Amino acid sequence: EMGHGITRILYSISKKGGLLKPHNSYSSIIASTLTIGFGGSVGLESPIVMTGSSIGSNMGRMFGMNYKSIITLIGCGAAGGIAGIFKAPVAGVIFALEVLMLDISMWSIIPLLISAVTGASISYLFLDKGVTLRVPLPDTFFMHNLPYYFILGIVCGLLSVYFTKTTIFAESVFSRIKKIWGRLLAGGLFLGLLILVLPPFYGEGYNILTMLLEGDIAGITQGSLLYGKQDNILLFSIFIILILLLKPFAMTATTGAGGVGGIFAPTLFTGGFAGYLAAAVFNQFGFIQIPVRNFILAGMAGVMAGVMHAPLTAIFLIAEITGGYSLFIPLMIASTVSYIISRYFEPHSIYNHRLAKRGELITHNKDKAVLTLLEMDKVIEKDFLAVSPEDSLGKLVKTISRSRRNLFPVLTGKNMLVGVVLLDNIRHIIFNTD
């Protein structure tokens, strides 16, 4: 099952010539809206990317474009979708190049830029600036805090490995439930139980991230057993650790039950809490003073880079939604370190793990792509005249006179190949009149 997100787009590029079904232009939006509206713990980004890519794919088919042009249009749809959601056009372009692995050339860059700028502009025109995620301005960055961002990158990298492996394991558990109603019931009950214990799992989680960035701890714990006890550092730390450990299960329970959504929001959510916890731990030492808001943002970039194997997308996304590049160095350190660690333990991102396991991923291997796109019918030669093992030399000579080839397969009556006669090997015989 390829789902409704990035994995299906990669599969389409790898095995389907970039063709996405027309219904993906609207079905993912409807399904993801219902999923998150009823509390599904996933993001809207992947379905919107799927929608944009499907529109691009079907436009390409409608105008009779070739494979390369269709893939570029798929990238334009993805870039426009990401740019529109976060009002981050640069991140949209980099996402298309980094995650979908489009060829970097002027031919592809210019359409991607136009699409991303258009998506962001329309979003600014119709939507409030912080409709997806309201991010206050980051605190001042000091160079003496660099080592702590490096440690945060290590934490995010290990957490990314855990997130990826846990998600793959949970998906395999749900895939064993063959009945649709069985999956719906199991996923719904499990997710409901998780939300009962940890209310922040309800929905995308961007509202919770905003509270975290604004320091509204009471709002985060509202509805949980911890409400009113959030000043207890030990209890609140356990609360956050449970969120970090169980978020992949909440996400997979949503999709495993039949919901439609992506991992974009869950990775930002997990990274934000990881950054907050790391800052809180560092600040327990009297001689360290870490800006919590900066660590939350760097953690968001770190986990996204590790899980999606997209460090540049993570860096530029957080830089753009914070309204500047004052945090560029910490974001680069956290994202790069996290990506390196994640890549070491898990060679494939969560998007392409299933495809790579099945040998159906060619977007990330250009040599394999060339071989896969070759049509075997155009490579195999079939214009051979066969001879039988019982044929005489005279009959062989007659066959040679009718052939344009110098190679003759020897076939039995059941069309079994028993050997090959080469013209060079019998030339001295057929011209010997004795």
Side-chain angles (χ1 to χ4, degrees):
E1 179 60 40
M2 292 295 110
H4 278 250
I6 313 301
T7 307
R8 182 172 285 185
I9 298 170
L10 290 172
Y11 179 73
S12 163
I13 295 172
S14 295
K15 305 296 287 184
K16 298 283 188 180
L19 303 182
L20 291 163
K21 293 181 179 178
H23 73 78
N24 291 130
S25 301
Y26 57 86
S27 59
S28 293
I29 286 185
I30 297 170
S32 60
T33 302
L34 291 172
T35 299
I36 294 170
F38 281 103
S41 195
V42 286
L44 278 170
E45 297 79 16
S46 288
I48 291 175
V49 168
M50 180 66 176
T51 301
S53 297
S54 176
I55 292 170
S57 171
N58 286 284
M59 280 183 65
R61 289 170 66 186
M62 186 170 68
F63 289 107
M65 293 182 173
N66 60 20
Y67 172 78
K68 190 173 182 180
S69 299
I70 290 175
I71 301 308
T72 303
L73 284 173
I74 286 175
C76 288
I82 293 296
I85 296 167
F86 294 106
K87 301 182 180 66
V90 177
V93 172
I94 292 174
F95 174 84
L97 296 173
E98 193 173 31
V99 177
L100 301 185
M101 294 299 286
L102 299 185
D103 287 326
I104 301 176
S105 64
M106 291 306 293
W107 168 253
S108 57
I109 292 284
I110 298 300
L112 290 174
L113 285 170
I114 294 170
S115 179
V117 169
T118 305
S121 300
I122 291 174
S123 187
Y124 270 115
L125 189 62
F126 289 101
L127 298 173
D128 180 54
K129 189 177 188 305
V131 69
T132 301
L133 179 63
R134 295 192 309 278
V135 178
L137 288 173
D139 298 316
T140 306
F141 162 64
F142 297 102
M143 288 298 290
H144 64 261
N145 285 331
L146 273 184
Y148 306 116
Y149 287 103
F150 187 87
I151 295 170
L152 176 64
I154 296 173
V155 172
C156 289
L158 296 173
L159 186 60
S160 300
V161 175
Y162 168 79
F163 191 102
T164 302
K165 291 189 177 295
T166 305
T167 301
I168 293 166
F169 166 75
E171 281 181 349
S172 68
V173 172
F174 274 100
S175 66
R176 291 175 201 155
I177 306 172
K178 301 302 178 186
K179 299 284 187 183
I180 294 175
W181 288 106
R183 287 204 297 265
L184 181 62
L185 192 63
L189 286 173
F190 186 55
L191 178 63
L193 184 63
L194 286 175
I195 291 174
L196 185 66
V197 178
L198 299 166
F201 285 160
Y202 185 90
E204 279 184 301
Y206 284 139
N207 58 328
I208 301 295
L209 267 181
T210 302
M211 290 179 193
L212 198 64
L213 285 162
E214 292 173 348
D216 183 9
I217 307 305
I220 293 170
T221 57
Q222 190 169 7
S224 71
L225 297 173
L226 196 64
Y227 187 62
K229 304 173 188 173
Q230 60 270 12
D231 293 331
N232 187 316
I233 295 172
L234 179 62
L235 283 177
F236 191 62
S237 298
I238 293 171
F239 181 78
I240 292 178
I241 290 169
L242 285 174
I243 285 176
L244 296 176
L245 295 178
L246 295 176
K247 180 62 177 180
F249 290 102
M251 180 187 77
T252 314
T254 304
T255 54
V260 173
I263 65 165
F264 230 102
T267 55
L268 291 173
F269 180 90
T270 305
F273 274 95
Y276 180 89
L277 182 63
V281 170
F282 283 133
N283 285 335
Q284 290 305 303
F285 301 97
F287 59 92
I288 301 175
Q289 200 59 41
I290 296 292
V292 177
R293 189 179 298 162
N294 290 4
F295 249 57
I296 292 171
L297 293 168
M300 289 162 67
V303 174
M304 175 183 278
V307 174
M308 293 169 50
H309 285 195
L312 289 173
T313 303
I315 292 165
F316 281 96
L317 177 67
I318 302 302
E320 284 189 283
I321 63 176
T322 53
Y325 293 90
S326 58
L327 277 185
F328 213 63
I329 293 174
L331 292 175
M332 289 175 73
I333 291 172
S335 298
T336 305
V337 172
S338 174
Y339 170 71
I340 291 169
I341 291 173
S342 176
R343 185 71 186 262
Y344 178 79
F345 289 103
E346 186 59 63
H348 298 288
S349 76
I350 201 166
Y351 288 136
N352 53 41
H353 182 275
R354 280 176 290 181
L355 292 177
K357 192 175 179 182
R358 287 159 45 170
E360 294 177 339
L361 180 73
I362 68 164
T363 53
H364 294 56
N365 187 331
K366 300 303 178 189
D367 294 334
K368 190 175 178 182
V370 171
L371 292 173
T372 305
L373 293 171
L374 283 174
E375 294 183 20
M376 291 305 294
D377 285 344
K378 294 179 181 177
V379 178
I380 296 174
E381 299 175 353
K382 299 177 182 177
D383 57 336
F384 297 101
L385 296 180
V387 292
S388 169
E390 291 81 24
D391 284 354
S392 64
L393 181 60
K395 196 164 185 180
L396 173 61
V397 171
K398 287 180 181 177
T399 305
I400 291 172
S401 68
R402 291 185 287 111
S403 175
R404 293 179 298 158
R405 308 302 299 266
N406 63 347
L407 192 121
F408 302 88
V410 184
L411 305 181
T412 65
K414 295 181 179 179
N415 276 338
M416 292 290 291
L417 179 69
V418 292
V420 175
V421 176
L422 292 172
L423 184 59
D424 290 343
N425 293 348
I426 60 167
R427 195 185 305 273
H428 66 285
I429 300 174
I430 62 174
F431 290 114
N432 185 343
T433 54
D434 292 339

